[in-house]
Amino acid sequence: AQKVTQAQTEISVVEKEDVTLDCVYETRDTTYYLFWYKQPPSGELVFLIRRNSFDEQNEISGRYSWNFQKSTSSFNFTITASQVVDSAVYFCALSETLTQGGSEKLVFGKGTKLTVNP
Amino acid sequence: DTGVSQDPRHKITKRGQNVTFRCDPISEHNRLYWYRQTLGQGPEFLTYFQNEAQLEKSRLLSDRFSAERPKGSFSTLEIQRTEQGDSAMYLCASSIVPGQAYNEQFFGPGTRLTVL
């Protein structure tokens, strides 16, 4: 079965430090998608990135960067020069094909709570 | 605002009562999903609709849970005879049929249920 493991339950850093959130996944599918979501205290899931399994290029968006390595089934997320506003729970997720209708469900990890202290 | 909306945002109920939540997807999105998120966990898939047809249900969805999407637009999730273990955030998401290589799911703000 599909599985996402986020081994880091909580991370605490001081503002301006770089921080990497780890994500390891398991899947039977040959084509799949990986995601990162941010969940601030308000509770709403904020989409950050989607990555296709055929695209192993790393991506950078401002202070955020993602490292996808198929060989190790990892999709790690780095925040450079962290800020207090980055404090949130971050979820890694994997798409799993549903048996009917041609859609996918998302399989989430347990999340990593990031606290950035001033 | 044209995002996914959910109502109510918070619900407190006593054990044994029935509760119903509503989700309004993004207009023209024909796929709708329900997820449940308990404290300290990631969201878990409950069920999925394509138009008005409920195509898949997780084993997490016990007999006390029922979801409907009668006209292929909004959806309701009802929990009968609530138990304390039902306390969770219930998230709704919607997506649109391809077209695209991937049908992104857009999440609503969730309904937080507390069963006393």
Side-chain angles (χ1 to χ4, degrees):
Chain A
Q2 326 288 73
K3 185 179 177 182
V4 175
T5 302
Q6 294 181 254
Q8 305 149 308
T9 305
E10 293 192 42
I11 299 176
S12 183
V13 298
V14 177
E15 209 169 15
K16 297 184 184 176
E17 281 186 26
D18 299 347
V19 57
T20 295
L21 309 182
D22 297 333
C23 173
V24 174
Y25 63 93
E26 298 174 30
T27 181
R28 298 179 299 250
D29 292 346
T30 52
T31 301
Y32 53 90
Y33 293 84
L34 294 160
F35 306 79
W36 276 94
Y37 284 86
K38 175 181 179 180
Q39 189 173 47
S42 60
E44 190 158 351
L45 284 171
V46 179
F47 168 81
L48 296 178
I49 190 171
R50 175 181 70 245
R51 171 64 68 211
N52 183 309
S53 56
F54 292 114
D55 182 2
E56 289 194 65
Q57 275 193 327
N58 292 330
E59 182 158 338
I60 297 175
S61 176
R63 296 184 298 107
Y64 295 169
S65 62
W66 291 269
N67 185 319
F68 176 31
Q69 293 198 346
K70 220 169 174 178
S71 60
T72 56
S73 297
S74 66
F75 186 43
N76 297 336
F77 172 32
T78 298
I79 302 174
T80 303
S82 59
Q83 300 177 0
V84 173
V85 293
D86 296 327
S87 297
V89 180
Y90 290 86
F91 291 98
C92 181
L94 167 68
S95 64
E96 177 177 337
T97 304
L98 292 168
T99 55
Q100 295 190 60
S103 186
E104 304 86 17
K105 68 179 184 184
L106 296 179
V107 177
F108 287 84
K110 292 187 176 183
T112 298
K113 182 178 180 181
L114 174 64
T115 302
V116 181
N117 299 299
Chain B
D1 183 71
T2 56
V4 178
S5 62
Q6 293 186 247
D7 183 69
R9 295 292 307 277
H10 302 273
K11 178 71 176 178
I12 300 174
T13 191
K14 292 183 179 179
R15 188 161 49 103
Q17 298 294 305
N18 298 344
V19 294
T20 300
F21 311 140
R22 175 177 170 128
C23 170
D24 286 87
I26 293 172
S27 178
E28 297 176 358
H29 277 197
N30 44 16
R31 289 177 172 168
L32 187 147
Y33 311 78
W34 285 99
Y35 291 80
R36 181 174 70 183
Q37 184 180 16
T38 53
L39 201 61
Q41 303 293 318
E44 295 175 290
F45 172 80
L46 291 178
T47 190
Y48 142 67
F49 290 85
Q50 183 157 309
N51 299 312
E52 65 276 6
Q54 186 173 18
L55 295 185
E56 187 137 343
K57 294 195 288 187
S58 161
R59 55 185 165 77
L60 293 176
L61 215 63
S62 76
D63 291 344
R64 296 184 297 104
F65 287 69
S66 63
E68 293 182 344
R69 194 181 182 200
K71 296 183 180 179
S73 55
F74 72 92
S75 175
T76 58
L77 178 66
E78 181 182 17
I79 308 174
Q80 296 182 325
R81 304 181 303 282
T82 52
E83 301 173 357
Q84 288 184 326
D86 297 331
S87 296
M89 175 81 88
Y90 290 84
L91 293 162
C92 177
S94 70
S95 71
I96 194 163
V97 175
Q100 307 167 33
Y102 179 78
N103 318 119
E104 183 169 349
Q105 294 181 29
F106 295 84
F107 282 84
T111 294
R112 185 172 295 282
L113 172 66
T114 302
V115 182
L116 302 176

